[in-house]
């Protein structure tokens, strides 16, 4: 667990896979995007304190602007705001973890059923290209890219449906499930399994929505079952000082 004195590094915020590390986003929307990605991809860990001053300096903007970004992230439950204590990367409870996965099963089985009805050849090709990128990441043992790509796979299916509202809901759920996995990952846990993704794409390519929905539900149930959700993490495993800044 990261201590409260730990500085938020620019490297944690800026995706090193992108070029232009020196990029300093100044609009609230750009800072929001950078921070959202850093939390979803676990560069900023669950429970970490987010100090307004530090962030303001990093992004060369006012604290007020950072506060607005943190409030946006808090509305999506990526960040928890504590009165007089500041902002923290959220630390979802077991109950919240189960809710997030239930919501994903319900939403994504419906989305993939709809995608099967609408998916044109082009959509299936995009998914297959994505599977190739996932395989390359697994082979090169690049865990960070793996996490990023496994989330993007699910978003890509939502994009095929073309409903921005549902894609937005799913983006929030995927980011929150990334925090859940980071906290409750048990032995052998993994965000996604490439083979399961491949089977889902095969069902989509055949236009078999029912099979695709069944596979998606099974895939998410399997991901949840690999987490250690039988109990809350015991107090000794949580650095409350880091979480609450005391
Ligand atoms: Zn997956």
């Amino acid at each position: 667990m990261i201590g409260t004195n730990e500085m938020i590094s620019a490297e944690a915020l800026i995706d090193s896979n992108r070029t232009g590390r020196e990029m300093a986003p100044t609009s609230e929307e750009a800072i929001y995007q950078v921070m959202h990605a850093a939390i979803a991809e676990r560069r900023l860990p669950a429970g970490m304190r987010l100090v307004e001053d530090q962030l303001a300096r990093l992004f060369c903007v006012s604290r007020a602007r950072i506060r607005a970004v943190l409030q946006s992230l808090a509305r999506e439950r990526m960040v928890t705001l504590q009165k007089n204590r500041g902002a923290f990367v959220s630390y979802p409870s077991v109950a919240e973890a189960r809710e997030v996965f239930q919501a994903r099963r319900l939403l994504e089985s419906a989305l993939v059923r709809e995608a099967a009805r609408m998916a044109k050849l082009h959509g299936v090709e995009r998914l297959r290209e994505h599977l190739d990128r996932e395989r390359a990441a697994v082979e090169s043992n690049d865990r960070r890219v793996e996490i990023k790509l496994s989330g993007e796979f699910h978003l890509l299916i939502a994009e095929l449906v073309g409903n921005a509202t549902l894609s937005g809901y799913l983006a929030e759920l995927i980011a929150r499930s990334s925090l859940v996995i980071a906290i409750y990952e048990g032995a052998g846990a993994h965000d996604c399994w490439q083979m399961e993704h491949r089977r889902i794409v095969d069902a989509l390519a055949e236009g078999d929505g029912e099979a695709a929905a069944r596979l998606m539900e099974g895939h998410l149930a399997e991901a949840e079952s690999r987490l250690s959700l039988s109990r809350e993490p015991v107090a000794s495993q949580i650095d409350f000082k880091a979480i609450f800044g005391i």
Side-chain angles (χ1 to χ4, degrees):
M1 184 62 65
I2 303 289
T4 47
N5 294 326
E6 191 85 15
M7 296 292 286
I8 300 163
S9 69
E11 284 73 19
L13 288 169
I14 298 170
D15 186 347
S16 62
N17 293 310
R18 282 206 320 245
T19 51
R21 266 163 169 271
E22 68 287 350
M23 179 196 72
T26 50
S27 76
E28 277 168 28
E29 174 61 23
I31 296 169
Y32 166 87
Q33 294 294 347
V34 166
M35 291 204 53
H36 189 284
I39 295 171
E41 294 162 23
R42 302 178 208 162
R43 281 175 271 130
L44 292 177
M48 186 185 193
R49 190 176 182 197
L50 300 169
V51 183
E52 281 180 13
D53 263 347
Q54 276 183 30
L55 292 166
R57 277 197 300 274
L58 270 173
F59 289 111
C60 304
V61 295
S62 66
R63 282 181 60 174
R65 195 167 273 186
I66 293 296
R67 203 169 304 135
V69 171
L70 292 174
Q71 279 162 356
S72 295
L73 291 165
R75 278 194 290 278
E76 295 184 354
R77 303 194 200 186
M78 301 281 287
V79 160
T80 303
L81 300 176
Q82 302 211 6
K83 213 173 176 193
N84 302 323
R85 284 176 173 158
F88 300 83
V89 177
S90 290
Y91 199 99
S93 66
V94 167
E96 196 180 339
R98 291 197 186 282
E99 274 186 22
V100 166
F101 272 92
Q102 182 187 35
R104 281 192 65 175
R105 282 198 306 276
L106 292 171
L107 177 59
E108 292 193 58
S109 57
L111 277 170
V112 82
R113 196 178 284 119
E114 190 68 3
R117 203 174 60 78
M118 302 170 67
K120 303 278 185 288
L121 191 58
H122 174 64
V124 173
E125 275 172 14
R126 272 178 72 197
L127 285 167
R128 292 211 189 279
E129 282 166 18
H130 188 89
L131 291 175
D132 290 342
R133 298 220 307 277
E134 282 189 353
R135 191 178 54 212
V138 171
E139 281 168 2
S140 62
N141 243 334
D142 192 336
R143 182 80 178 116
R144 235 182 72 185
V145 175
E146 256 184 78
I147 292 169
K148 186 182 160 110
L149 290 175
S150 65
E152 282 176 7
F153 172 79
H154 291 257
L155 281 173
L156 208 48
I157 289 176
E159 271 177 37
L160 294 182
V161 175
N163 182 319
T165 303
L166 291 176
S167 290
Y169 287 147
L170 184 60
E172 178 187 329
L173 288 171
I174 287 173
R176 288 170 67 194
S177 54
S178 186
L179 283 176
V180 166
I181 291 165
I183 297 167
Y184 297 103
E185 195 167 37
H190 202 295
D191 302 64
C192 281
W193 287 266
Q194 237 202 310
M195 278 312 294
E196 293 179 8
H197 283 183
R198 199 165 288 280
R199 288 190 198 107
I200 291 167
V201 175
D202 288 343
L204 275 176
E206 288 168 19
D208 189 343
E210 288 313 310
R214 217 170 32 246
L215 287 163
M216 179 62 85
E217 274 199 55
H219 172 53
L220 292 168
E222 177 71 18
E224 184 181 353
S225 75
R226 299 227 174 186
L227 300 174
S228 305
L229 291 178
S230 52
R231 57 178 169 74
E232 297 282 344
V234 295
S236 64
Q237 291 174 326
I238 303 174
D239 185 348
F240 282 112
K241 283 192 171 178
I243 294 169
F244 300 123
I246 49 177

